[in-house]
Amino acid sequence: MKWTAVVAALLVVVATVAADDAHKQQVVNRLLNRITSHIPSAYAELKNAAETYDPAHDDSHYTDGGEAARHLVQEINDHRVLEQHHWFSLFNTRQREEALMLVDVLLHAADFATFEHSAAYFREKMNEGEFVYALYVAVTHSPLTDHVVLPPLYEVTPHMFTNSEIINKAYTAKMTQTPGDFNMEFTGTSKNEEQRVAYFGEDIGMNSHHVHWHMDFPFWWNGEDIDRKGELFFWVHHQLTARFDAERLSNWLSPVDELHWDHPIKDGFAPHTSYKFGGEFPTRPDNKAFDDVDGVARIRDLLIIESRIRDAIAHGYIEKEDGTHVNIDNEHGIDIVGDVIESSMYSPNAAYYGALHNQAHRVLGAQADPHGKFNMSPGVMEHFETATRDPAFFRLHKYMDNIFKEHKDKLHPYTKEELQYANVQITEVDVGELSTYFEDFSFDLGNALDTTETVEDVKVTAHVSRLNHKPFTYKINLHANQAEKVTVRVFIAPKYDQNLSPLDINQARWYAIALDTFWVDVAAGDSVIERSGSDSNVAIPDRISFPTLIHDTDEAVAAGGQLSLSVGHNTRGCGHPQRLLLPKGTTNGMDFHFDVYISTGEDSVHDNVEDGNHGYCGMHGQKYPDKKPMGFPYDRHIPDRRLYDGLKNLHTQTVKIFHHEEH
């Protein structure tokens, strides 16, 4: 599917024919509400579209002449699509093809009415999981839905985020017409040391960020408008791994060990979750040796793919399908290496270098039933919503992160000339109190339950303990020789390892966590930049709850007014949870390096970059705002720390992050 030209053409249409934003929001809300039930009669317009609209004979309202719609209708009429009430996995090739057929239809809708009617029609005829995925992707990428807020997936498909015990209690509450708010525990027990960091891997906000990132940057996307997609794949997963390691250190655990295909997986995982349709998520026992997975990959195939990628890094070039070479020994090489490892449609030679990341997810997810003997449903690693719940996710990404590190370490270290910025000297950085705590958070389970128009709904929620931090600010005192726009990058990194031995600069720089990157104008002379943690460009605030979104939208539509949603500074679901910006501290305070690096404002691609979530998620439909490599200036090997110590535009100090049991 080639949608770049389609999106560009639609921009012209949107400029002249625009539906009311509140109406668009209401339509999307209603399409997703009670997704496993038919459209209720109360949603008269959608129900009528589902029953009477004929997408196969509406050529003029699609930018492709209705080709995609006719193809999907034919597939449905031929009974070739997945039935309803069945699990869906994006990693299943045929199921993904079907979901992308609907994405194709929706992205070719020439106006929102066509988008709405097509979605309503196919909602009633396609698998629910395929429909939800397709609608989320289409809303994310279509200019027709620029201002639509997608509800949090954990309230649209709660089964994917909620323990089975809680779902069972929710059903009981519905049957007895008794409202309930049920406490959800993390998986495992204190006998499992991985339980100490389950709050991170099982955080529903972090799970949501991960799945939304893969919707913003799908591996199957073949458009030409996603800038530095391969590098972003490296960067967001590198940061997830670095953050997980920081959480482990704060809980007296060693950094996560990488996965080895020829070694057993030490830690098993029992998800304690069930599909809405498809039974329990499979459990993996401890010390499970890797088996080949029928129809997916042999372990030796993964080892061969890995060796080809490592050889390419060692040689400094990727070999394209036509035999020509693409040099990767430069700052743009990471983008190509990322495309190859994932592998995305941008890979120069997928037939040779394979799809290490995607195949590894499938192999890990199928280890409970590698030969299909028991007809088990896919494991948690075969869904982006659930993958981070399994500690093996971080082992897998540490393995791939180390491959990326081989490439980065092969590049020449930055020189003094590349690092220094003579205009600015940082004189002092004043960092406010940094402290974390756990809080309770409730989310709605209504969409988990079957519903009819004759049985009253009751309020059913789950509450879970989650990490948060107190608001904090920092002040950067500096002296500038002349007024100029500058780029400010802020990092933290653990100071000690699990044995309380100091980490050297090359270890610490790879553990560095990006807190923020922003641009600001400084005046000549002495000045102070004050910045709040809540302004961070890598994180987003809590998503608005689905019930609140429905309520506020319906009120706005009924009143004929504008929809005003307090969802922070963006409508995207991609972005690390603001609550998790700081790693968990310790009672006596965990030591971190707090580094501020200032360089020229010419590092910015755009004249103006508003605060948002571009750090991990880029700028939708635009170039990534920072010209420098992601992670700069800590992304390359540092042969001598004295070079960094001598930079006047770099300030590093030790701070403590405390953890308090009570807020």
Side-chain angles (χ1 to χ4, degrees):
M1 281 171 267
K2 197 76 170 179
W3 293 311
T4 308
V6 174
V7 172
L10 277 174
L11 288 172
V12 178
V13 178
V14 174
T16 55
V17 184
D20 174 69
D21 286 342
H23 169 69
K24 292 182 180 182
Q25 184 67 60
Q26 185 181 64
V27 167
V28 173
N29 290 348
R30 291 180 171 184
L31 287 167
L32 292 169
N33 193 28
R34 308 297 185 180
I35 187 61
T36 57
S37 303
H38 290 297
I39 297 173
S41 56
Y43 299 167
E45 187 175 351
L46 287 178
K47 191 170 183 65
N48 181 63
E51 295 172 350
T52 64
Y53 185 66
D54 186 358
H57 293 86
D58 198 9
D59 300 1
S60 64
H61 289 90
Y62 293 102
T63 58
D64 66 341
E67 181 181 348
R70 286 192 298 274
H71 176 64
L72 181 52
V73 169
Q74 188 64 52
E75 292 288 299
I76 292 171
N77 291 340
D78 290 345
H79 306 289
R80 284 175 48 81
V81 299
L82 182 67
E83 69 267 26
Q84 294 185 333
H85 294 186
H86 189 285
W87 56 261
F88 161 71
S89 171
L90 187 66
F91 288 107
N92 180 291
T93 304
R94 175 58 190 176
Q95 293 178 7
R96 180 173 67 252
E97 288 173 353
E98 293 172 13
L100 298 194
M101 290 178 200
L102 180 53
V103 173
D104 203 10
V105 173
L106 297 178
L107 288 183
H108 279 103
D111 52 67
F112 187 74
T114 305
F115 186 103
E116 172 186 352
H117 297 156
S118 302
Y121 175 87
F122 289 111
R123 181 192 192 276
E124 300 297 270
K125 295 172 175 59
M126 293 189 67
N127 173 269
E128 302 89 344
E130 291 180 351
F131 176 82
V132 169
Y133 179 78
L135 185 63
Y136 265 73
V137 170
V139 169
T140 297
H141 291 277
S142 173
L144 296 170
T145 49
D146 269 348
H147 303 294
V148 170
V149 176
L150 285 164
L153 265 172
Y154 49 79
E155 292 184 326
V156 174
T157 54
H159 280 79
M160 304 294 282
F161 300 86
T162 311
N163 292 355
S164 304
E165 305 94 297
I166 303 304
I167 298 294
N168 292 338
K169 290 179 180 180
Y171 271 110
T172 300
K174 176 71 177 284
M175 288 188 294
T176 60
Q177 291 288 285
T178 307
D181 181 34
F182 306 109
N183 179 46
M184 184 170 75
E185 301 287 348
F186 299 116
T187 57
T189 69
S190 58
K191 294 180 180 179
N192 177 9
E193 65 178 19
E194 295 297 322
Q195 177 75 3
R196 299 185 214 169
V197 287
Y199 65 85
F200 185 78
E202 297 181 30
D203 186 278
I204 59 175
M206 209 265 287
N207 300 155
S208 179
H209 159 57
H210 184 238
V211 67
H212 272 283
W213 189 93
H214 283 282
M215 289 174 175
D216 278 29
F217 306 97
F219 62 83
W220 47 261
W221 183 271
N222 70 344
E224 297 171 352
D225 60 339
I226 300 182
D227 186 48
R228 295 167 70 176
K229 182 175 179 292
E231 186 177 8
L232 272 165
F233 172 78
F234 149 70
W235 179 236
V236 73
H237 291 94
H238 168 69
Q239 284 289 283
L240 274 179
T241 306
R243 287 179 175 277
F244 186 60
D245 281 340
E247 300 295 342
R248 295 179 67 87
L249 290 173
S250 77
N251 286 280
W252 312 108
L253 296 172
S254 60
V256 67
D257 185 26
E258 70 173 295
L259 174 148
H260 301 274
W261 296 117
D262 53 354
H263 295 174
I265 314 170
K266 177 185 175 184
D267 297 306
F269 182 62
H272 288 252
T273 49
S274 302
Y275 287 93
K276 173 73 173 176
F277 307 106
E280 293 273 342
F281 277 86
T283 293
R284 184 185 66 249
D286 284 345
N287 299 308
K288 173 71 173 67
F290 278 108
D291 281 318
D292 297 339
V293 177
D294 294 354
V296 176
R298 299 173 299 182
I299 300 304
R300 70 177 182 181
D301 293 335
L302 295 175
L303 289 168
I304 290 169
I305 290 170
E306 175 193 340
S307 70
R308 289 174 178 175
I309 295 171
R310 291 187 189 274
D311 282 348
I313 292 171
H315 286 103
Y317 63 82
I318 296 291
E319 185 170 316
K320 297 173 67 175
E321 290 181 355
D322 62 5
T324 59
H325 295 170
V326 180
N327 179 29
I328 58 174
D329 276 350
N330 52 59
E331 66 178 31
H332 304 296
I334 187 69
D335 193 40
I336 300 170
V337 175
D339 288 334
V340 166
I341 288 178
E342 187 177 16
S343 109
S344 76
M345 296 294 289
Y346 295 179
S347 173
N349 194 348
Y352 183 71
Y353 295 109
L356 183 60
H357 168 262
N358 296 343
Q359 294 294 73
H361 265 270
R362 294 192 69 186
V363 167
L364 267 168
Q367 286 306 300
D369 187 20
H371 307 299
K373 181 178 180 180
F374 306 107
N375 195 30
M376 299 183 77
S377 302
V380 295
M381 288 293 290
E382 295 176 84
H383 301 275
F384 289 127
E385 304 96 310
T386 57
T388 63
R389 294 170 64 92
D390 188 342
F393 170 88
F394 295 99
R395 293 194 61 192
L396 171 64
H397 279 280
K398 176 63 75 72
Y399 155 73
M400 286 183 285
D401 199 51
N402 286 343
I403 299 176
F404 282 119
K405 189 173 184 293
E406 278 188 32
H407 165 68
K408 284 287 190 177
D409 285 351
K410 193 166 176 282
L411 302 178
H412 74 79
Y414 292 116
T415 64
K416 181 179 180 181
E417 289 70 30
E418 291 174 305
L419 294 170
Q420 67 182 2
Y421 174 50
N423 185 44
V424 166
Q425 177 179 352
I426 305 173
T427 55
E428 184 181 9
V429 177
D430 180 21
V431 183
E433 179 189 351
L434 305 177
S435 61
T436 61
Y437 60 92
F438 284 104
E439 64 179 9
D440 276 348
F441 173 72
S442 292
F443 61 99
D444 184 70
L445 297 178
N447 257 21
L449 308 177
D450 297 318
T451 185
T452 69
E453 296 184 31
T454 59
V455 178
E456 289 285 331
D457 288 331
V458 296
K459 185 175 178 59
V460 185
T461 57
H463 70 266
V464 63
S465 182
R466 66 179 194 173
L467 187 66
N468 203 341
H469 61 79
K470 291 183 179 179
F472 69 92
T473 59
Y474 51 94
K475 297 178 182 179
I476 305 168
N477 297 269
L478 59 87
H479 178 85
N481 297 327
Q482 61 185 32
E484 194 172 28
K485 179 181 178 180
V486 300
T487 306
V488 184
R489 299 178 177 86
V490 184
F491 299 88
I492 58 170
K495 189 173 182 178
Y496 301 104
D497 67 12
Q498 70 275 16
N499 297 315
L500 297 182
S501 298
L503 293 167
D504 68 40
I505 191 168
N506 263 309
Q507 293 173 307
R509 60 104 185 172
W510 200 246
Y511 288 132
I513 294 168
L515 289 188
D516 207 352
T517 298
F518 60 95
W519 289 267
V520 64
D521 292 314
V522 297
D526 296 333
S527 61
V528 178
I529 301 171
E530 184 169 357
R531 186 81 168 172
S532 169
S534 61
D535 296 327
S536 170
N537 283 319
V538 304
I540 61 172
D542 279 341
R543 310 302 293 158
I544 185 170
S545 74
F546 198 12
T548 301
L549 185 60
I550 292 172
H551 174 271
D552 290 356
T553 304
D554 289 349
E555 276 197 347
V557 171
Q562 293 296 312
L563 178 61
S564 177
L565 300 173
S566 55
V567 293
H569 48 236
N570 68 86
T571 58
R572 295 174 68 187
C574 182
H576 198 73
Q578 221 289 325
R579 301 174 290 100
L580 299 179
L581 185 63
L582 293 180
K584 175 180 167 289
T586 59
T587 302
N588 296 323
M590 180 174 170
D591 287 333
F592 282 83
H593 298 287
F594 190 99
D595 295 357
V596 176
Y597 176 81
I598 296 180
S599 59
T600 173
E602 293 179 359
D603 289 347
S604 175
V605 171
H606 309 287
D607 291 336
N608 294 295
V609 180
E610 296 182 0
D611 287 339
N613 58 343
H614 57 71
Y616 295 160
C617 302
M619 297 175 68
H620 195 60
Q622 301 182 58
K623 287 189 174 294
Y624 191 80
D626 192 350
K627 293 178 184 177
K628 293 294 187 183
M630 298 171 199
F632 176 82
Y634 294 133
D635 61 309
R636 297 189 189 178
H637 178 72
I638 302 174
D640 190 339
R641 72 162 301 130
R642 289 175 296 181
L643 173 61
Y644 280 66
D645 290 342
L647 294 173
K648 294 182 179 180
N649 55 312
L650 170 66
H651 185 278
T652 183
Q653 66 190 75
T654 300
V655 297
K656 289 183 180 292
I657 301 180
F658 295 90
H659 182 75
H660 305 292
E661 292 302 324
E662 296 183 2
H663 177 35

